Amino acid sequence: MEKAAGFLSSLLGGGEEVPPEPAATVRSILIYPIKSCRGISVPQAPITSTGFRWDRQWVVVNSKGRAYTQRVEPKLALVEVEMPPEAFAEEWRPTADSYLVGRAPGMDPLKIPLSAEQAIINDVSVWEWSGSAYDEGAEAAEWFSSYFGNPSRLVRFKGGSEIRPTNPDYAQSYKIMFTDCFPFLMASQGSLDALNEVLKEPVPMNRFRPNILVDGCHPYSEDLWKTIKINKLTFQGVKLCNRCKVPTINQENGILGTEPTETLLTFRSDEVLRPNHKNKRQVYFGQNLVCKESLSAKGKGRIIKVSDPVYVLERFPSSDEAPA
């Protein structure tokens, strides 16, 4: 007990105990600035009140202000997004020469200023939420309208006045921007390797679009991680990630298939993992997280890096008892 207490104290910054072996290591950190477009692999990422900085801060909407996702526009998978490399430093602020750059097949590059003032557009909606957002202007609207063949606009979350809370049944007091449900999604390389062993054709991790990819743990062990520490930041597992059809979309060409969902149904479904729960034909891959420190006032040091160790402080007894 004394060793455990000493280790917890050291994680919290109050002791010098040598920690035990970590459960895993951060292998990759991925940010998706525009919802449903390609992600950016970064060496480090600061944590804000809504998740990683820049993650899902933008979304493409149709003429009614409804968000596009790959579920209805698989071509979003082909849109590459670039940001200044220094944008992922903790104290960085954009200048007049700072841009988000979008690229897509058959299109000239699109440059979006990161520091320009924007007009406000109302009645933007993502799933259950609706509110106002910043409109990124006519050039971006024309670019995405031409790419999709339908009237479209690019909008940015209006963080100064809009709040989009997470589902309080799973995570009270937390908030997000344009991500689906929760601030962070974690998956493990071991889980993907185990899945690929039973697939006829292996799939890459970009099918599952995690923010934090860890390595060095047993397949699907992240299902049971209730409380973890990464760089003295506390993350809590709040809900197993039930997967929509996006993992069946080839992220290299935007073509819809049936795998890996058909195979996941055989061993990662409610029927298998959660037999005591009545639910739909859901499959699970990855764990949704919140970060405790994102609730408090701003402070330095809220950043995680590739190669950071992952320490598990508390586990769910079983997948059947993990929230989903």
Side-chain angles (χ1 to χ4, degrees):
M1 289 294 292
E2 289 182 2
K3 286 187 176 180
F7 171 49
L8 288 173
S9 176
S10 69
L11 285 176
L12 295 170
E16 299 298 329
E17 288 277 342
V18 177
E21 287 296 312
T25 302
V26 176
R27 176 168 175 164
S28 301
I29 300 169
L30 299 123
I31 310 296
Y32 307 85
I34 304 178
K35 183 176 180 64
S36 271
C37 294
R38 290 187 179 177
I40 303 172
S41 181
V42 298
Q44 63 181 31
I47 288 171
T48 72
S49 61
T50 57
F52 284 134
R53 189 180 185 190
W54 309 114
D55 192 55
R56 276 87 166 192
Q57 194 164 343
W58 289 265
V59 67
V60 185
V61 299
N62 63 19
S63 59
K64 297 180 179 180
R66 188 71 182 167
Y68 282 137
T69 72
Q70 288 189 31
R71 301 165 179 84
V72 295
E73 283 291 356
K75 288 175 65 176
L76 281 165
L78 309 184
V79 178
E80 298 180 9
V81 181
E82 294 180 8
M83 301 211 41
E86 59 271 20
F88 301 97
E90 190 174 11
E91 308 253 340
W92 184 80
R93 295 291 178 268
T95 68
D97 297 322
S98 304
Y99 296 92
L100 176 151
V101 180
R103 292 185 170 85
M107 305 292 296
D108 292 331
L110 171 69
K111 296 178 70 175
I112 302 295
L114 294 179
S115 61
E117 293 187 8
Q118 307 113 324
I120 295 172
I121 182 172
N122 296 313
D123 299 322
V124 170
S125 59
V126 178
W127 305 123
E128 79 301 331
W129 176 88
S130 63
S132 61
Y134 293 116
D135 182 7
E136 291 293 4
E139 183 180 352
E142 183 179 349
W143 195 91
F144 279 103
S145 298
S146 176
Y147 181 61
F148 291 125
N150 292 300
S152 308
R153 303 197 76 84
L154 180 67
V155 302
R156 184 176 183 176
F157 195 81
K158 193 169 180 283
S161 60
E162 295 290 345
I163 295 177
R164 185 172 171 230
T166 55
N167 186 334
D169 291 342
Y170 297 96
Q172 292 189 8
S173 303
Y174 291 91
K175 57 185 181 178
I176 51 178
M177 288 194 282
F178 292 133
T179 189
D180 275 354
C181 299
F182 298 99
F184 306 94
L185 175 61
M186 172 180 282
S188 75
Q189 186 63 40
S191 299
L192 181 68
D193 292 344
L195 172 60
N196 281 332
E197 286 182 4
V198 295
L199 289 174
K200 291 181 180 179
E201 296 289 337
V203 297
M205 185 57 82
N206 64 10
R207 294 287 190 100
F208 298 101
R209 301 173 65 80
N211 294 112
I212 304 171
L213 175 62
V214 299
D215 200 3
C217 57
H218 293 296
Y220 309 110
S221 58
E222 65 270 26
D223 288 2
L224 304 183
W225 293 354
K226 186 175 183 180
T227 307
I228 63 175
K229 281 278 187 180
I230 307 175
N231 192 23
K232 298 184 180 179
L233 298 171
T234 305
F235 292 85
Q236 295 174 313
V238 293
K239 188 178 186 296
L240 295 179
C241 186
N242 57 297
R243 309 309 307 214
C244 62
K245 72 177 184 180
V246 170
T248 66
I249 299 171
N250 187 318
Q251 298 295 296
E252 304 306 317
N253 56 27
I255 295 175
L256 180 69
T258 61
E259 292 288 11
T261 298
E262 286 300 316
T263 296
L264 285 169
L265 278 168
T266 66
F267 71 105
R268 294 289 300 171
S269 66
D270 278 307
E271 185 178 3
V272 176
L273 295 179
R274 300 163 54 79
N276 295 324
H277 295 254
K278 294 181 179 180
N279 212 327
K280 303 173 185 176
R281 251 171 67 100
Q282 299 280 6
V283 297
Y284 299 93
F285 192 98
Q287 175 75 268
N288 287 298
L289 307 174
V290 295
C291 179
K292 183 178 179 181
E293 285 75 13
S294 69
L295 293 175
S296 56
K298 293 181 180 179
K300 294 184 179 181
R302 295 176 187 178
I303 192 166
I304 72 169
K305 301 178 181 180
V306 171
S307 298
D308 276 346
V310 179
Y311 298 98
V312 178
L313 307 187
E314 188 178 6
R315 289 179 168 86
F316 295 107
S318 68
S319 295
D320 197 45
E321 297 182 54

